[in-house]
């Protein structure tokens, strides 16, 4: 199974720019891809690396410019964490991306998945990378179930770790790409799957999973309200609450969005008006 998927990857992988870039480029891509699809990330990633080709370049930028450059990728707290991360790397790591899981985990905004992915994709290390695509593929192929649990257990980590072959970094990239392109959440391409003959889920007749994942509603949510405020401040620079209320009529929800955006350090206020944080 391992060699088949690595061979499949060699022949079918998408030509994504972060497959052939600096460790900093990998780190930026991992922050951006956490909750945003590849297609939307591509132009922003290109622009970002042109504007800030090293951590020190980003570290020297104004926070408001960083939030503006994040564009419509969503969850802009990631931009602030990446900015903070760049400051630590430029000040404490001589502008070099750390190479160990422990050092990476000590940086702002970097958790278990991101540290493992950076070690694998930037430094070719055989770390255990478990993203949603990889976990779904393994759940189907090995366990015979449609979807994985909400988050990996210690047992899951242990048995997936034992699967890592010598080409560990390639294994992570291959399984991730296979889950994204072939063993997809809906309508997996089982007819063109090179490991279909030994897939436990297929063998069991594709039983439906009992795990119902929460759908991410968007319209009318607090998250949409936050997005409207940040986008308006990107365009207009400064706005009063009453101007923002024209864009979002629910004043209770608007006040909540302003409060959380202030707490997250994404915006600032003079008391009368609001702007992106500098
Ligand atoms: S046969 Fe279908 S479900 Fe099984 S691993 Fe291949 S694509 Fe996924």
């Amino acid at each position: 199974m391992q060699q088949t998927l690595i061979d499949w990857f060699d022949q079918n992988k998408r030509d994504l720019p972060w497959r052939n870039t600096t460790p900093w480029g990998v780190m930026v891509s991992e922050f951006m891809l956490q909750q945003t699809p590849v297609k939307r990330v591509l132009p922003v990633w290109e622009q970002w690396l042109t504007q800030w080709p090293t951590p020190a370049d980003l570290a020297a930028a104004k926070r408001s410019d960083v939030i503006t450059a994040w564009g419509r990728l969503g969850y802009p707290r990631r931009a602030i964490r990446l900015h903070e991360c760049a400051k630590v790397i430029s000040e404490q790591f001589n502008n070099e991306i750390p190479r160990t899981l422990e050092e990476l985990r000590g940086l702002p905004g970097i958790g278990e998945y991101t540290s493992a992915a950076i070690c694998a994709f930037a430094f070719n290390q055989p770390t255990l990378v478990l993203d949603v695509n990889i976990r779904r593929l393994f759940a189907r192929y090995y366990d015979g179930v449609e979807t994985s649990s909400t988050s990996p257990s210690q047992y899951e980590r242990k048995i997936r770790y034992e699967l890592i072959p010598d080409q560990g970094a390639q294994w992570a990239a291959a399984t991730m790409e296979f889950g994204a392109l072939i063993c997809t959440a809906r309508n997996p391409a089982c007819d063109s799957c090179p490991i279909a003959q030994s897939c436990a889920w297929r063998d069991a007749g594709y039983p439906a999973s009992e795990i119902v994942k929460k759908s991410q509603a968007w319209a009318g949510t607090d998250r949409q309200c936050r997005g409207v405020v940040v986008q308006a401040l990107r365009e207009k620079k400064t706005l009063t609450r009453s101007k923002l209320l024209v864009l979002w009529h629910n004043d209770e929800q608007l006040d909540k969005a302003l409060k959380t955006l202030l707490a997250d350090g994404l915006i600032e206020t003079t008391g009368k008006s609001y702007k992106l944080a500098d």
Side-chain angles (χ1 to χ4, degrees):
M1 192 266 201
Q2 277 109 331
Q3 195 56 53
T4 305
L5 286 193
I6 288 170
D7 291 345
W8 174 90
F9 181 65
D10 281 344
Q11 289 160 20
N12 298 285
K13 66 182 172 213
R14 288 170 291 181
D15 183 19
L16 301 174
W18 43 83
R19 295 205 202 281
N20 186 21
T21 182
T22 59
W24 170 238
V26 171
M27 178 178 274
V28 172
S29 76
E30 287 301 333
F31 268 77
M32 292 183 172
L33 289 163
Q34 273 165 24
Q35 278 140 320
T36 311
V38 165
K39 207 168 138 190
R40 278 171 53 206
V41 166
L42 278 169
V44 182
W45 183 89
E46 300 272 10
Q47 173 62 33
W48 195 281
L49 267 289
T50 304
Q51 197 167 354
W52 299 303
T54 73
D57 298 313
L58 180 65
K62 283 203 313 195
R63 180 175 281 197
S64 54
D65 289 339
V66 173
I67 299 167
T68 299
W70 194 254
R72 290 177 177 271
L73 292 182
Y75 298 101
R77 263 176 294 195
R78 290 179 291 167
I80 293 186
R81 295 287 97 79
L82 183 53
H83 192 206
E84 289 168 350
C85 207
K87 287 180 185 169
V88 176
I89 294 168
S90 72
E91 286 164 14
Q92 297 177 21
F93 292 92
N94 198 26
N95 209 23
E96 303 275 344
I97 308 298
R99 288 173 169 261
T100 67
L101 288 172
E102 292 71 27
E103 286 172 319
L104 285 163
R105 287 291 291 273
L107 296 173
I110 296 199
E112 179 184 342
Y113 164 77
T114 308
S115 57
I118 292 169
C119 281
F121 305 141
F123 302 118
N124 211 23
Q125 294 173 20
T127 48
L128 177 66
V129 181
L130 286 179
D131 84 332
V132 64
N133 290 318
I134 295 176
R135 292 187 67 225
R136 182 179 57 249
L137 166 64
F138 288 166
R140 289 177 179 173
Y141 182 82
Y142 289 110
D143 306 338
V145 295
E146 183 182 12
T147 51
S148 55
S149 58
T150 312
S151 55
S153 63
Q154 280 306 328
Y155 177 71
E156 183 181 339
R157 288 192 184 91
K158 179 180 175 295
I159 55 174
R160 302 316 186 211
Y161 188 77
E162 287 166 3
L163 293 172
I164 300 174
D166 290 344
Q167 315 98 306
Q170 265 182 297
W171 172 239
T175 47
M176 190 179 287
E177 189 76 337
F178 194 82
L181 299 183
I182 301 292
C183 196
T184 52
R186 288 187 198 152
N187 305 320
C190 302
D191 289 347
S192 50
C193 172
I195 53 171
Q197 292 304 320
S198 43
C199 170
W201 189 49
R202 179 175 177 268
D203 205 34
Y206 300 113
S209 182
E210 289 170 10
I211 297 168
V212 179
K213 299 220 166 154
K214 276 193 277 175
S215 63
Q216 293 204 323
W218 167 250
T221 58
D222 292 349
R223 200 158 72 78
Q224 188 190 18
C225 181
R226 282 168 57 100
V228 166
V229 171
V230 171
Q231 184 57 28
L233 294 177
R234 273 191 197 113
E235 291 166 6
K236 300 286 185 199
K237 305 293 182 204
T238 304
L239 285 168
T240 60
R241 181 181 175 281
S242 53
K243 288 266 169 55
L244 287 165
L245 207 45
V246 173
L247 302 172
W248 193 271
H249 302 295
N250 181 329
D251 57 355
E252 197 179 313
Q253 217 173 11
L254 176 65
D255 287 339
K256 188 175 170 193
L258 291 171
K259 196 172 160 193
T260 57
L261 289 167
L262 284 166
D264 288 344
L266 281 157
I267 65 171
E268 293 173 352
T269 181
T270 59
K272 288 186 176 167
S273 60
Y274 295 88
K275 69 183 188 66
L276 293 179
D278 274 330

